[in-house]
Amino acid sequence: MAMEGMAEGGWIAAHVPGEGALTLDARPFPALAGRGTLLLEFTTGADFAGPIRLIHLATRTPEPRLLSLAITPERRIEVIQLQGAAFHALSIDASTELATGGRMRLSWRWDTADRQSLLTLEALDTGTLRQNAGADPLPLPRIDLEALTNRTGAARIGLQVDWLALGDHLQPVGPAGCFAPATQIETPQGPRPANLIRAGDLVETVDAGAQPVLWSGRVSLPALGALRPVRLCAPVYGRTRDLWLLPQHRIAVAGPAVQGLFASEEVLVESRHLVDGRGALQPDRAATLTWQGILLQDHHLLIADGCRIESLGLGRLARSTALAMTTALADLAAKGRLPVHDTPARPILSDHDARRLATARDRGSRAA
């Protein structure tokens, strides 16, 4: 499902190169999709040389039609639609992100009723977001949506694309979901499932005691690529039950390896860096999963069945109003109530340092 207040509908189908089409919902695509979201992940090297076609679908029957998503030689990402005499184009400057290379997530949202088109690029390895909005997108016929997910007819998917998903809803971008809705979060009244916690409720934090919740909500995402869930197994992490997190969500890690490498008692590590095939797993399952997020005024550590996990961290999102208005937190942004999280609850490890820690912990466990 989409975030409350964003739009009805949801993810319908996906395509993974080498695996083929994946059904995410039994509903068919609408005959003519006046709104929807195309989401994909791709990978480039720092030695990028364009142009690169990510998606290309061209046909001449019953009239000329084109849907193209490509990286230009100027390092812009552009979407182009052509349907008979009607034309729509929108591009975004991705020169900084492509100069670095790495894993990228791209979403294109179209809404013909509101005449809005939105292109968003997220650099997964650096966490940056870049966005551009346009007007007057064209509706997409079912035959084109099915051609992309089935990779049939004239549909072409670039070699750089890791996967793509299509839905008939408007997917919010940016931070929102964190952990499984059933995650037991400590409150002054005792543990409570995250999906039953509302704005205004109190939750316990490690350093600041009970804190009021500014926002609690859900977002649904395809469990593909960099969105595959991480399962932290009990009792290694949670005391009595497994914890399910998005791979980018961080938990607090302590121990001799942390102190020895970083001279800190506790650090924050993305859950994907904890995957070791034993206490932390990353199942591969074709599904749409719903994730819950809890936002506090400051960045804090929540307590989930004894495991310390971070509350939703926004960084400086509040200082980019236009971007914040396209996220699941749009209502708070409109009221000017989004907090700025300049200071994380604990030092956050880079990917490089997280790998160093994983190696040190693995050596320690083998020695034990």
Side-chain angles (χ1 to χ4, degrees):
M1 64 181 244
M3 196 61 221
E4 296 100 334
M6 183 63 69
E8 296 179 354
W11 300 107
I12 294 178
H15 181 90
V16 179
E19 298 182 25
L22 302 173
T23 299
L24 300 177
D25 194 296
R27 294 177 301 113
F29 286 109
L32 192 64
R35 72 178 180 191
T37 300
L38 166 63
L39 182 68
L40 62 83
E41 289 181 357
F42 67 95
T43 306
T44 66
D47 56 350
F48 160 85
I52 293 177
R53 287 181 175 180
L54 299 174
I55 288 175
H56 191 81
L57 177 57
T59 181
R60 293 187 176 278
T61 57
E63 63 178 4
R65 248 185 7 263
L66 170 69
L67 174 62
S68 172
L69 189 61
I71 305 173
T72 71
E74 296 77 26
R75 300 194 176 192
R76 298 188 69 86
I77 297 177
E78 63 178 8
V79 58
I80 296 176
Q81 287 182 283
L82 176 66
Q83 295 177 11
F87 177 80
H88 171 68
L90 177 64
S91 69
I92 190 169
D93 179 8
S95 55
T96 301
E97 290 75 14
L98 293 173
T100 303
R103 304 170 306 145
M104 310 283 174
R105 184 177 302 134
L106 183 68
S107 75
W108 173 50
R109 230 168 63 184
W110 72 94
D111 188 345
T112 57
D114 286 343
R115 303 177 59 192
Q116 294 181 354
S117 179
L118 184 70
L119 195 59
T120 306
L121 177 69
E122 180 180 1
L124 299 180
D125 297 322
T126 60
T128 59
L129 279 171
R130 194 174 294 273
Q131 191 176 81
N132 194 24
D136 297 322
L138 307 178
L140 291 180
R142 176 188 296 163
I143 189 174
D144 287 355
L145 299 173
E146 290 178 342
L148 284 174
T149 53
N150 294 321
R151 200 174 183 179
T152 56
R156 301 289 182 268
I157 300 174
L159 295 176
Q160 292 77 14
V161 175
D162 301 314
W163 61 270
L164 66 84
L166 281 158
D168 60 354
H169 66 305
L170 302 179
Q171 180 74 18
V173 301
C178 304
F179 32 75
T183 302
Q184 296 288 317
I185 301 296
E186 198 66 40
T187 76
Q189 291 76 40
R192 191 175 179 189
N195 63 329
L196 298 183
I197 295 174
R198 302 287 183 262
D201 292 348
L202 294 177
V203 293
E204 292 289 354
T205 66
V206 172
D207 295 327
Q211 293 292 312
V213 173
L214 288 184
W215 177 89
S216 178
R218 297 183 299 279
V219 65
S220 290
L221 294 163
L224 296 169
L227 295 174
R228 288 168 53 210
V230 173
R231 176 186 177 188
L232 301 181
C233 301
V236 179
Y237 293 97
R239 283 193 298 258
T240 63
R241 63 185 68 200
D242 295 348
L243 300 176
W244 291 84
L245 305 177
L246 272 174
Q248 292 79 31
H249 197 64
R250 304 179 186 96
I251 78 164
V253 176
V258 171
Q259 293 178 332
L261 288 173
F262 311 112
S264 179
E265 292 187 2
E266 202 168 38
V267 293
L268 286 173
V269 183
E270 292 184 12
S271 63
R272 64 189 175 97
H273 290 302
L274 301 173
V275 174
D276 57 8
R278 301 184 301 274
L281 310 174
Q282 195 165 26
D284 192 1
R285 49 192 291 191
T288 299
L289 298 178
T290 300
W291 301 98
Q292 188 79 22
I294 292 178
L295 176 70
L296 307 179
Q297 183 63 42
D298 296 311
H299 190 241
H300 288 293
L301 294 181
L302 304 172
I303 305 167
D305 195 35
C307 184
R308 300 180 175 194
I309 62 176
E310 66 172 344
S311 62
L312 183 59
L314 300 185
R316 299 181 181 181
L317 176 66
R319 295 174 181 168
S320 179
T321 304
L323 176 58
M325 289 297 294
T326 65
T327 71
L329 303 159
D331 287 346
L332 278 182
K335 297 173 184 176
R337 295 182 55 202
L338 273 188
V340 174
H341 292 156
D342 278 333
T343 306
R346 296 289 187 275
I348 296 174
L349 294 192
S350 66
D351 284 0
H352 173 71
D353 284 340
R355 287 190 290 269
R356 290 174 58 208
L357 177 60
T359 300
R361 295 180 74 198
D362 183 61
R363 288 173 179 166
S365 65
R366 291 179 189 277

